[in-house]
Amino acid sequence: MNLKVRSWLSGVALASALTLAACGGGGGGGGGGGGANLNISTAGEGLQFAPAALNATAGQQVKVTFKNGSAAQKHNWVLVKGGDAEAQKVDDEGATAGEAAGYIPTDPNIVSSVKLLGGAETGTAEFAAPAAGTYTFLCTFPGHYVAGMKGTLTVK
Ligand SMILES: [Cu+2]
């Protein structure tokens, strides 16, 4: 192998290593094989997520950045495997867990969560997107889920 080829190959290896490092850090956006950066907030002071629908690809590294758009309300973001029945159960357990736990209980259906945020705070959650299907996310601060603070993550 001559020197030119060898130097080109080490350049390729370096570029691959840098790409892997970037992926590991959760960088990059969009779908495909890369990671997904999903941004979500609230509808101002309203007890609603905006947007209420998120998308990801199974196995993809997902970073959710949740900005509490309210100045007055505390909110969290809890992703649950299942629909309304599972979300309601997690919401009930969250109320029991209490504010010290950020109203986030231990439940096998919880995929990931962003901790309880005060007004205008931002938090993140990083996880590998689960198997294809529909998942419910909700805020478990008492009274918020029943008021409609929920949404859907669709994994394809
Ligand atoms: Cu809330």
Side-chain angles (χ1 to χ4, degrees):
M1 180 185 296
N2 70 37
L3 202 61
K4 254 186 189 163
V5 171
R6 188 176 298 225
S7 128
W8 177 81
L9 279 174
S10 66
V12 169
L14 181 63
S16 304
L18 288 174
T19 305
L20 285 171
C23 286
N37 286 320
L38 305 178
N39 294 302
I40 186 165
S41 187
T42 62
E45 295 293 332
L47 300 179
Q48 285 181 317
F49 285 111
L54 298 174
N55 295 286
T57 303
Q60 182 181 42
Q61 191 62 26
V62 176
K63 180 177 183 179
V64 170
T65 301
F66 173 44
K67 182 181 191 323
N68 182 355
S70 165
Q73 306 278 354
K74 290 183 179 179
H75 295 298
N76 62 22
W77 182 89
V78 182
L79 181 64
V80 173
K81 181 183 182 195
D84 284 331
E86 290 79 7
Q88 182 65 65
K89 178 170 174 279
V90 166
D91 189 51
D92 291 343
E93 292 166 348
T96 303
E99 179 141 13
Y103 300 108
I104 300 175
T106 300
D107 185 288
N109 285 322
I110 294 178
V111 177
S112 189
S113 61
V114 175
K115 69 181 175 112
L116 187 66
L117 301 173
E121 287 183 344
T122 298
T124 60
E126 294 189 54
F127 55 95
T134 302
Y135 298 77
T136 303
F137 56 83
L138 71 153
C139 171
T140 60
F141 189 97
H144 291 191
Y145 170 69
V146 290
M149 194 160 187
K150 61 178 179 174
T152 302
L153 171 71
T154 303
V155 181
K156 287 179 178 159

